[in-house]
Amino acid sequence: MNRRTPSYSTYRKETQGPSQGLREEYAVREDKNPVRLSTEKAVLIRISNFEDAVSFALLVSQTAQAWPSITQKSLTSQPWANDHGHNELFIPTPDHIIPGKKPLQYDKQRHYYEPHHNDAVHGTYKRAPCPALNTLANRGFIPRSGKHITYENLAQAARDVYNFGDDNVCFMPADAPKKRAADQRSQIMIVLVPAFALHPNQTHIDLDQFADDKVQHAINCPAAPTRLDRESGHNIDLNTTLLASLLSRSKDNETLTLEDMAEHHHLRHNQSRAGSKNWQFGNSDATCALAQYTNLVGVLGRNGKHGLQTLYVEDVKKFYTSEDLPDAYERRELPYYAIEATQLIDRMTHHIGYQIVRPFPSGDHDGRDVEPVKALYEEKPGCVD
């Protein structure tokens, strides 16, 4: 039986809400049902047959040729303006339709493991409160000193090692200077942009600047999984007590589910709330805090008892304690896009008992706390307050 391969046409529209300024591309089949492509033109659809897969792969490869012209529109006045890289496409083949993970290929002699801790103000080595960035430095994907790093170097390393999606954005706060926020909306960005935006007139950055006052009180996260809040103590180095608390949440002593991590996050939320004199936890704060957990699943997760993104305790432990790639690390074939991160965050908030408002409302940093003190999972069945 011969099947006619469906044809597609495309159209673009400007997104609204938190992703203002980014273009979305849609593919429309002859049956007029639109399917959205990501900003990088990667396929995020359900394919019902092989003919559809081949036709759609041809469409993606054709539209991807226009991608460099989009990246060239970056504002030349900003540090990230010269970053013209983008995530490579995942093109399905007859034998490999569903994207999975593959061992990371890299020069092990060049990218040997050499850990360092954050030194004093004028020290030789700088490190961030983020183990993912520190891993890049410890392996030499960015300068091992952790100093004088360009945005494009950080961005490309995040793509090369983690396949972190360019649209996976940590947004500027609603009360940020309008010019900087407007500049940011016009970019194809990853989470590194705000750190540069909050240090204007800098073309390079040191890793410890991801933990200074400007970042900590604007885009960095309260209630981090393994770091103290800045007002509570040292917020760069790993807090081993907090890490032990996270790992202990595993119900099978082998893996960490999203529900396990949601319960640890909620504990951290209440701890930080009790210890802060100026507590606030708006929608953007919640998103940033929860993303530190979901990024573990999206990047470190591998095939196992909970599916293709099973997060193993041993992998999380090495990632945090050694600030290195886990022994069994495999790189994603499909970039870790914002839509996937958002779905994982929403699963965590659902378990706790609230929902993040998007786009973030005005006044999101007015001292509000969007997360309940008592979580839904803590309610006893049949109990009515």
Side-chain angles (χ1 to χ4, degrees), residues 331-351:
R331 182 178 180 269
R332 299 172 59 100
E333 292 183 293
L334 185 70
Y336 182 51
Y337 289 117
I339 186 172
E340 181 180 348
T342 299
Q343 290 172 339
L344 296 177
I345 288 172
D346 286 348
R347 282 181 57 186
M348 291 183 68
T349 58
H350 177 75
H351 185 63

Side-chain angles (χ1 to χ4, degrees), residues 6 39 68 72 98 107 126 149 185 197 240 251 280 296 356:
T39 319
Q72 293 293 333
I98 299 176
D107 186 340
K126 298 296 182 184
I149 308 170
R185 284 196 298 268
T240 56
K251 294 179 175 61
Q280 66 173 27
L296 293 173
I356 291 173

Side-chain angles (χ1 to χ4, degrees), residues 58 81 134 201 285 302:
L58 290 173
N134 294 341
N201 304 318
D285 296 312
R302 51 192 171 94

Side-chain angles (χ1 to χ4, degrees), residues 281-300:
F281 200 70
N283 294 276
S284 60
D285 296 312
T287 298
C288 195
L290 290 161
Q292 295 191 65
Y293 293 89
T294 58
N295 289 349
L296 293 173
V297 176
V299 173
L300 299 186

Side-chain angles (χ1 to χ4, degrees), residues 113 117 129-132 134-135 138 224-227 237-240 242-244 246-247 256 261 264 289 291-296 300 311 313-326:
Y113 174 64
H117 294 288
C130 173
N134 294 341
T135 294
N138 290 341
T226 64
R227 264 67 176 178
D237 291 342
L238 171 71
N239 184 295
T240 56
L242 294 180
L243 175 62
L246 169 61
L247 300 181
L256 284 164
M261 292 190 292
H264 182 261
Q292 295 191 65
Y293 293 89
T294 58
N295 289 349
L296 293 173
L300 299 186
L311 185 62
V313 169
E314 62 179 345
D315 292 349
V316 175
K317 184 176 181 179
K318 180 170 183 179
F319 188 60
Y320 276 115
T321 58
S322 300
E323 295 190 321
D324 189 20
L325 298 171

Side-chain angles (χ1 to χ4, degrees), residues 8 28 33 42 62 92-93 114 116 159 183 213 237 289 296 338 357:
Y8 294 85
V28 184
N33 292 325
Q62 292 169 358
T93 66
E114 184 181 292
H116 294 283
R159 297 183 188 105
D183 286 347
D213 283 329
D237 291 342
L296 293 173
V357 176

